[in-house]
Amino acid sequence: MNNKGKRFRSLATRISAGIILFGTLVFVTVLGANYFLSRNLLEEYIGELARATASSTVREIETVFTTVATNADSLASVVTKADINEPQIHDAIKAFLKTNADIFGMTVALEPHVLHENIGEFSPYYYREQEAYGYANLADNSYRYLEWDWYRQPKSNRKPVWTEPYLDEGGGNVLMTTYATPIWRRDDNRFAGVATADISLGWLQKLVDNIHIGETGFGMIISEADIIVAHPDKQRNMLKLKSTLEAEFIRDYWDVYTSSKSASHATYFHAPCRHKPGDCWVAIEPLLDTGWKIVIVIPESELVSDIMILTLKITALAVIGLIILVMVILSVTHRLTSPLARLASVTKDIGEGRLNIKLPRPQRNDEIGELTNDFRLMRDSLEEHIDRLQETTAKKQKLESEIEIAKDIQMSMVPGGGTVSIIEATYQLYALLRPARSVGGDLYYFQQDDNKLHFIIGDVSDKGVPAALFMAKAVTLYAGAMNDGLTPGNTFTHMNQALAQNNDACMFVTALCGTLDLDSGELTIANAGHMNPLYKTSDTSGELPVEGSLALGLMDDVEYPNITHQLAPGSRLLMYTDGISEAFNPAREQYEEERLLAFVSNCPETKAESLGTATMQDVEAFVNGAEQSDDITLMVIQYGNA
Amino acid sequence: MPLEIEIHAEPNEGKRISLAGSLDTDTAPQLQDKIDQNIDSTVHMVIMDLKRLEFLSSAGLRVIFKLKKQMDSHEGKFMLLNLQPQVRKVFDIIKALEGMSVFKSQEEMDEYLAAMQNKVLDGDA
């Protein structure tokens, strides 16, 4: 059933294996595609998210910074009024501070004696202090406002500045940045001082604290001088950017960024994270014209890990699905193929001859059901066939055994049972009968009666059982005629008369019969349609012509003449049937009378038996194994001794 | 060697049986079957043309004799035509050709048949 060396695998297994393989392939492809597409989408999304977060943070800070700057600008313009006095400046500062909650503190610091001849160093500072307002005079000797950056930068640059963050010791005593805008004298545009507004950086800290993207995504604010203004880790605040760990992941880009023209534009890039493995998305956006930057950092892996988790979940679901699918397929294919397996096992039984085995019932009207039905038909017809065959075989065996018995009977009808060799002082005789089938139509017979040797050799037309029956009749007739002392010619006439009667089948016998006088050597012989005998003496050999008549059994009232020949002592007669002359070799050539005569003439054998057996050996050598096509009979008679 | 058998109608309720190949124990029953199917007492003449018969055994002879006997029984004519030497030898050995109408060729047979015809006509006249 199995192929050589191949392990048996059921159809169910094969189908399941195929589907699992294909299903897994499809599943892996789809899932992989899904993963990579999602990942690409997410990467874009993360970049977008970083930018958007940076932008919105910038907008938020911008609003406050712009308001603060506008207020400071307005204060500066108020101060330049020609007739303003010191108390009015105090009131103006307090009024601006009161109306603007984003401002921590404000001052107007004047260049001594420029706006008014009589006003020297002047810098009243008002700031928020819990629910009230605090006041500090920055013009006292200890503060020395003229030396602070927030004063000197606008003065030297002749434009407003945002200072680097600083701790305002002696002022507001908080971490702050200050917007300082120059005040110009109206008539000659001479520098007359600065108006400032401070922003406490505490709210910036809150702002960056609220930026949560993924697990470790964060934002920070960096000043123009690359000082960290606000960072979720407060310990880093006020540190130089380049000295911090975070700086490292953007360091390569930071220098490029800050030195390029794009420093005034928003930018974002993808870079290896420094605070954890994987890549980060970084967005940098400048804050107005302050030179400050908002930096948003989002580690990609954290968001991508969500997709990994999703993919894993889908994989788990798909595996479960596949397992269920396989179980269903196994169950269905098993249901489908189990009749096949049963049929296969039944086939084995039938092959071993157990035909009465129970066949599986066809359960469904499908191909397998049809196969089962056909199988039943085949089994039934096989059973019938085998029954018939057994019956036929039995009949045949019976017939064969009958024929075997018939063969024994037939052979017992000829002297010697088919092979005989007689050596007497006055003659030698060798005879052989070899039917082509079990029984045949050839015959020989002889009998010594005092000094007479009577003999006959004959060949019934056709062969097999019909010929054998006819042969039996002929032998019986011959034996009867011989006992009546008839001459050979009369013997034939008598036999012919009996055989021709009611012979509708037109069976016939060709025969030679004769009587040899053992004293005188006189041979009386008659021929009924048979081949002439061959003779051989010590010095000559040839065909012995025996003129005769029609074969026995064909026509009524046929006369057969007696022919006489005188045999010299030592002469040999060789008589045969056409089983010898028409013996075929494998090339379908016949042995032929000529070859027989030539062989007999040249044969050095001197005994009747040895001549006969040598002749048979020559015929057998010629036939060379080809199937014997006709009955063979050979009779050699030697008169006296040579 | 197989046997080919062709049977054609001839004038005067005649049939011509042409044989080719080997008429032996194996093929004789085939010829017997054909004869049983085609030759009955309405057939007045059978011409057996053995021009292409290469081998004849005693089993074949038996079938031929049986057909002759059958034709004789209703006084039909039975003629053998074109016996090849090896076939003629088989007939000769058993002395079976005596009393049979045997012709070496079609012309010889036609002459014979014409003579027979004339004889009948003369007799009538």
Side-chain angles (χ1 to χ4, degrees), chain A residues 504 506, chain B residues 10-17 32 35-36 38-48 62-80 99-101:
Chain A
D504 292 336
C506 279
Chain B
E10 286 278 316
N12 307 318
E13 277 89 19
K15 289 276 170 92
R16 176 188 292 253
I17 303 175
Q32 187 63 60
I35 289 170
D36 291 345
N38 292 283
I39 313 294
D40 56 23
S41 57
T42 63
V43 177
H44 287 179
M45 179 178 71
V46 168
I47 300 165
M48 207 152 211
R62 192 182 63 74
V63 176
I64 292 172
F65 291 139
K66 193 177 171 195
L67 178 57
K68 180 179 186 301
K69 202 165 186 175
Q70 183 185 337
M71 294 307 292
D72 288 348
S73 68
H74 64 273
E75 294 176 346
K77 286 196 179 71
F78 181 81
M79 288 171 282
L80 290 171
M100 280 208 189
S101 309

Side-chain angles (χ1 to χ4, degrees), chain A residues 30-43 307 311:
Chain A
V30 168
L31 209 65
N34 176 57
Y35 175 76
F36 284 105
L37 288 176
S38 306
R39 202 189 148 108
N40 284 346
L41 270 179
L42 193 70
E43 280 176 12
I307 293 191
T311 306

Side-chain angles (χ1 to χ4, degrees), chain A residues 437 460-463 500 503-508 510 529-531 547-551 554 582 584 588 590 593, chain B residues 1 22 24-26 28 55-59 61-63 65-67 69 89-90 92-98:
Chain A
R437 299 175 187 169
V460 178
S461 56
D462 215 340
K463 52 198 172 189
N503 184 13
D504 292 336
C506 279
M507 298 292 287
F508 62 87
T510 69
H530 202 82
M531 288 158 297
E547 197 57 38
S549 287
L550 187 62
L554 286 173
E582 290 172 5
F584 286 102
R588 292 292 294 172
Q590 292 185 16
E593 285 89 345
Chain B
M1 205 188 325
S22 170
D24 52 30
T25 308
D26 295 332
F55 180 76
L56 177 63
S57 83
S58 59
L61 273 176
R62 192 182 63 74
V63 176
F65 291 139
K66 193 177 171 195
L67 178 57
K69 202 165 186 175
K89 193 174 114 186
V90 177
D92 282 341
I93 288 171
I94 67 162
K95 309 284 181 192
L97 290 180
E98 290 166 19

